[in-house]
């Protein structure tokens, strides 16, 4: 049996450190925010080459508050992509703004900068590119358009801890970046978590207030805020795990390189690593026109796979009111029909990679 992800293997490798960190929070009783969260905010911001980090309870909350800090609200438009996890679009909806979608580049699976300019209207306030699967979007042309039009750029870096674009870390490229620490992410909490990172002290001040009921000081509520605080135990666990993140990322990259090598010269459509990117392989997705059959055949051999994501947001019933139709974003729709995520986690062994690779190769040969 080769699982899609193996959180137990990772826990086994850091059990003592994690238990000591959790015990430390139990001893201080700093269960929400507190010193472990504050230290983690600094450490993760610095890891992401940004000045400030504001810990929150989920990646979705990070996106929501970054948009609010950018001044996004009712009557505004925010541009993002349909080929993403639903949370990207949901966060825009929470602010009262209208999500405006543009198609992806089929090679990178990320926002196509060439599609951006024609989607901008006088109501556009922000651009929200997603670094899908752990590979940064092509940020320079996106930033150039944003600067020309006076728009804020918020990176959805929920899948891209430690990813780089031309040597710049995800988190240091746009005006703000949002991360998720959902357990299965490259840096995952033992519960939920998220963070906004930025170099901007004003955004930082606003988001710090908004995550904690909009209070400047206790009971001095200057903004209409939320209870989006990050828990102390999650801060402590994430500090432990951050110390291992570079090694885990390199292990993912090694596993991806093994898969790539196996698929070179074959009919298997391996994911493209763009020349500007340090891809951190949160997801390793191949493409196939026979996905259902391949998934079942792999499952039959004890190999778990996943689909990220089977329905682009514009075709989800929940977002039918955006008014988009099937066929409007052909690259997103085709990707949603074809992507198949292979097992990918730092502890995946060379032998497991070879077993998965050989099984996929055999399917491609038969197709
Ligand atoms: C691209 C993307 N955006 C946003 C989110 C939302 O993060 P969370 O689940 O922590 O709210 C996720 C992860 O789930 C994601 O993958």
């Amino acid at each position: 049996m080769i699982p899609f992800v193996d959180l137990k293997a990772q826990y086994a490798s850091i059990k003592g450190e994690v238990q000591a960190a959790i015990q430390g929070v139990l001893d201080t009783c700093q269960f929400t925010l507190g010193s472990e969260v504050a230290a983690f905010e600094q450490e993760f911001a610095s890891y992401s080459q940004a000045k400030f980090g504001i810990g929150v309870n989920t990646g979705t909350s990070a996106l929501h508050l970054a948009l609010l800090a950018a001044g996004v609200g009712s009557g505004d438009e925010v541009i993002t992509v349909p080929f993403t996890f639903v949370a990207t679009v949901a966060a825009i909806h929470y602010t009262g703004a209208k999500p405006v979608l543009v198609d992806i580049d089929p090679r990178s699976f990320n926002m196509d900068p060439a599609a951006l300019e024609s989607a901008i209207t006088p109501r556009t306030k922000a651009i929200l590119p997603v670094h899908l699967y752990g590979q940064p979007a092509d940020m320079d042309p996106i930033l150039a358009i944003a600067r020309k039009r006076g728009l804020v750029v918020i990176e959805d870096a929920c899948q891209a801890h430690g990813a780089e674009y031309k040597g710049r870390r995800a988190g240091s490229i746009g005006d703000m970046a949002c991360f998720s620490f959902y357990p299965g992410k490259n840096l995952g909490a033992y519960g939920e978590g998220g963070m906004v990172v930025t170099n901007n002290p004003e955004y930082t001040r606003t988001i710090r207030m908004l995550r904690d009921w909009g209070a400047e000081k206790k009971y001095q509520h200057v903004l209409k805020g939320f209870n989006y605080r990050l828990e102390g135990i999650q801060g402590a666990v994430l500090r432990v795990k951050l110390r291992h993140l570079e090694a885990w990322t390199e292990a993912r990259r090694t596993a991806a390189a093994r898969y790539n090598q196996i698929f070179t010269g074959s009919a298997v459509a391996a994911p493209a690593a763009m020349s500007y990117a340090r891809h951190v392989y949160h997801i390793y997705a191949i493409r196939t026109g026979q996905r259902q059959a391949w998934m079942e055949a792999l499952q039959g051999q004890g190999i778990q796979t996943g689909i990220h994501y089977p329905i682009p947001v514009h075709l989800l019933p929940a977002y039918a009111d955006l008014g988009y139709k099937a066929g409007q974003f052909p690259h997103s729709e085709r990707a949603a029909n074809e992507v198949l995520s292979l097992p990918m986690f730092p502890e995946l062994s060379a032998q497991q990679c070879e077993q998965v690779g050989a099984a996929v190769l055999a399917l491609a040969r038969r197709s």
Side-chain angles (χ1 to χ4, degrees):
M1 170 74 185
I2 303 181
F4 178 66
V5 287
D6 190 350
L7 297 184
K8 286 186 181 157
Q10 186 165 90
Y11 176 55
S13 74
I14 54 171
K15 196 168 181 169
E17 287 173 85
V18 167
Q19 288 183 345
I22 291 175
Q23 188 60 51
V25 178
L26 297 180
D27 291 340
T28 62
C29 291
Q30 292 185 352
F31 293 119
T32 188
L33 299 177
S35 58
E36 288 295 314
V37 168
F40 175 61
E41 288 174 334
Q42 278 185 359
E43 289 162 8
F44 189 73
S46 150
Y47 174 81
S48 305
Q49 298 175 350
K51 282 201 190 115
F52 308 107
I54 310 100
V56 292
N57 59 340
T58 65
T60 309
S61 301
L63 289 165
H64 184 191
L65 297 192
L67 288 160
L68 290 179
V72 171
S74 173
D76 295 327
E77 294 176 357
V78 177
I79 302 176
T80 191
V81 287
F83 192 54
T84 181
F85 182 59
V86 67
T88 314
V89 176
I92 299 170
H93 176 73
Y94 293 169
T95 67
K98 181 180 166 203
V100 172
L101 305 178
V102 296
D103 210 353
I104 55 164
D105 170 314
R107 270 173 57 76
S108 67
F109 297 116
N110 282 325
M111 179 179 278
D112 178 2
L116 198 51
E117 202 127 20
S118 62
I120 295 173
T121 76
R123 290 170 181 261
T124 309
K125 195 79 168 248
I127 306 173
L128 184 45
V130 181
H131 303 325
L132 199 75
Y133 298 162
Q135 171 155 259
D138 190 3
M139 293 300 288
D140 277 347
I142 294 171
L143 288 168
I145 294 167
R147 297 297 167 252
K148 199 169 73 184
R149 305 289 199 116
L151 306 175
V152 178
V153 176
I154 300 169
E155 302 167 58
D156 182 338
C158 284
Q159 303 187 359
H161 318 71
E164 289 174 16
Y165 176 78
K166 300 184 184 172
R168 286 126 73 195
R169 279 267 158 100
S172 69
I173 312 167
D175 298 294
M176 287 177 264
C178 302
F179 290 88
S180 165
F181 305 120
Y182 181 76
K185 295 289 196 270
N186 289 24
L187 180 61
Y190 286 166
E192 305 270 355
M195 193 178 291
V196 183
V197 305
T198 181
N199 288 324
N200 183 310
E202 268 314 300
Y203 291 150
T204 303
R205 205 177 95 79
T206 304
I207 296 168
R208 274 190 197 291
M209 287 195 277
L210 286 175
R211 74 167 169 189
D212 196 8
W213 291 119
E216 204 164 36
K217 289 190 225 135
K218 200 163 191 189
Y219 303 130
Q220 308 285 316
H221 304 281
V222 296
L223 297 172
K224 292 191 179 74
F226 304 84
N227 176 356
Y228 281 175
R229 296 178 297 248
L230 180 60
E231 293 185 345
I233 284 177
Q234 303 312 334
V237 168
L238 287 162
R239 286 188 78 195
V240 167
K241 294 184 84 179
L242 182 58
R243 297 201 285 268
H244 299 274
L245 184 59
E246 274 305 286
W248 288 337
T249 299
E250 283 310 314
R252 285 175 183 273
R253 287 170 52 77
T254 300
R258 284 202 176 100
Y259 280 148
N260 287 342
Q261 202 179 5
I262 295 169
F263 299 143
T264 302
S266 80
V268 178
M274 307 307 280
S275 58
Y276 50 67
R278 180 197 193 211
H279 195 325
V280 296
Y281 293 101
H282 173 56
I283 299 285
Y284 183 98
I286 60 168
R287 302 179 73 132
T288 164
Q290 285 144 295
R291 181 169 65 193
Q292 192 55 34
W294 286 26
M295 280 189 95
E296 283 165 20
L298 292 168
Q299 186 67 39
Q301 296 172 59
I303 298 169
Q304 269 183 1
T305 54
I307 302 175
H308 304 88
Y309 297 91
I311 307 173
V313 176
H314 68 292
L315 300 181
L316 289 172
Y319 290 96
D321 59 354
L322 293 180
Y324 294 109
K325 298 275 172 289
Q328 238 175 310
F329 303 111
H331 295 306
S332 295
E333 291 169 31
R334 194 164 160 222
N337 284 329
E338 293 185 353
V339 287
L340 177 63
S341 312
L342 302 186
M344 174 52 72
F345 51 91
E347 298 76 16
L348 191 70
S349 69
Q351 191 252 323
Q352 287 173 313
C353 277
E354 273 149 31
Q355 197 180 324
V356 174
V360 172
L361 266 189
L363 287 166
R365 282 203 197 100
R366 258 183 268 145
S367 301

